[in-house]
Amino acid sequence: IKVSPIIKGILWGFIFLLSIVLIYLNHHLIIISVILGMYAFIKCTNTILPELFNKVMKTKESNIVSFVSIGFLRADIQKISVYITAFVISTTVFLTIYTSSQAKPSVLLTSLIAYIITTVLQAMIVMFCFSVELSDRRPQYESLSCIGLSPDKEQRIRRKEVFYVYLFVLLLTFLYAISYLIHLAAAKQITILSSLLLLGIIAIAILICGLMNQKTFSKINMYSAADK
């Protein structure tokens, strides 16, 4: 029986949402949930997500900056989905290890350091892979100027594209991390301050890498202008 890509996408989308629900049903299933959810996410990037992005783009046809930047975002998510998946899974795994090490201070400190290092390194991997994608995007940006798009609008498109990619990564990671931490905080197994600290580490790592990618994109634009 041949199943249409849309039906497959809806099925994988349901499995992705189910993985979030599993965390609230039993927080001990967090590792299984995030692996299941991110596998479904990868499947969605080739089925239902492009369709959703296309629908959003139709609503932005009158705004060329948003229209183009969302189109580039759609391509970016497909190209670096594996690295986004690795970031979300590894961050969640080490978050779980940290929250399970509350008894011994030495173990707690070690797990916190491991959590920080893993989060930063995985964020850098996403950054480097995204940088490669940005470099490959150079001809497409040159074509935008050829059709009469002003340098100001090109710059806004670049900034929006990078912002959207890292916002997507942040929200996807927070979806699992916050769901897990809410359950622990409700059971008084972790304080709100500690939860904010753990989430802040993720946000800071993504923010720094996002700013570095913005700088990379500026250099690409500078070289393009010089070539012209």
Side-chain angles (χ1 to χ4, degrees), residues 51-213:
E51 292 299 323
L52 292 177
F53 280 123
N54 289 340
K55 289 183 178 180
V56 174
M57 289 174 66
K58 286 181 179 179
T59 65
K60 302 292 183 179
E61 289 180 345
S62 59
N63 187 334
I64 187 64
V65 173
S66 295
F67 180 82
V68 175
S69 57
I70 292 173
F72 285 153
L73 170 65
R74 178 187 57 191
D76 294 331
I77 297 302
Q78 289 180 308
K79 292 286 182 65
I80 64 173
S81 61
V82 174
Y83 306 104
I84 294 175
T85 297
F87 176 81
V88 176
I89 291 177
S90 60
T91 300
T92 306
V93 167
F94 278 89
L95 175 65
T96 306
I97 293 173
Y98 172 78
T99 55
S100 302
S101 309
Q102 298 288 340
K104 298 180 180 179
S106 58
V107 178
L108 182 65
L109 179 60
T110 302
S111 59
L112 177 60
I113 294 173
Y115 170 72
I116 295 173
I117 292 174
T118 301
T119 301
V120 172
L121 288 179
Q122 288 294 334
M124 289 178 67
I125 291 173
V126 173
M127 180 190 70
F128 288 133
C129 294
F130 186 35
S131 295
V132 173
E133 177 63 19
L134 293 179
S135 298
D136 294 340
R137 185 68 49 74
R138 178 177 169 180
Q140 292 173 278
Y141 272 94
E142 289 178 345
S143 66
L144 290 178
S145 60
C146 292
I147 62 174
L149 210 63
S150 67
D152 177 63
K153 286 187 177 180
E154 286 183 46
Q155 187 176 29
R156 286 166 58 194
I157 289 171
R158 287 193 299 273
R159 288 178 177 174
K160 275 198 170 186
E161 179 186 357
V162 175
F163 173 75
Y164 285 156
V165 167
Y166 282 97
L167 179 62
F168 185 90
V169 176
L170 181 65
L171 294 179
L172 190 60
T173 310
F174 272 11
L175 193 59
Y176 288 96
I178 292 178
S179 298
Y180 178 62
L181 292 172
I182 285 176
H183 193 288
L184 294 183
K188 296 183 179 180
Q189 295 179 14
I190 191 172
T191 63
I192 294 178
L193 183 60
S194 295
S195 298
L196 292 175
L197 172 64
L198 295 171
L199 294 174
I201 291 170
I202 297 173
I204 290 172
I206 290 177
L207 175 63
I208 292 174
C209 289
L211 291 174
M212 292 178 71
N213 265 144

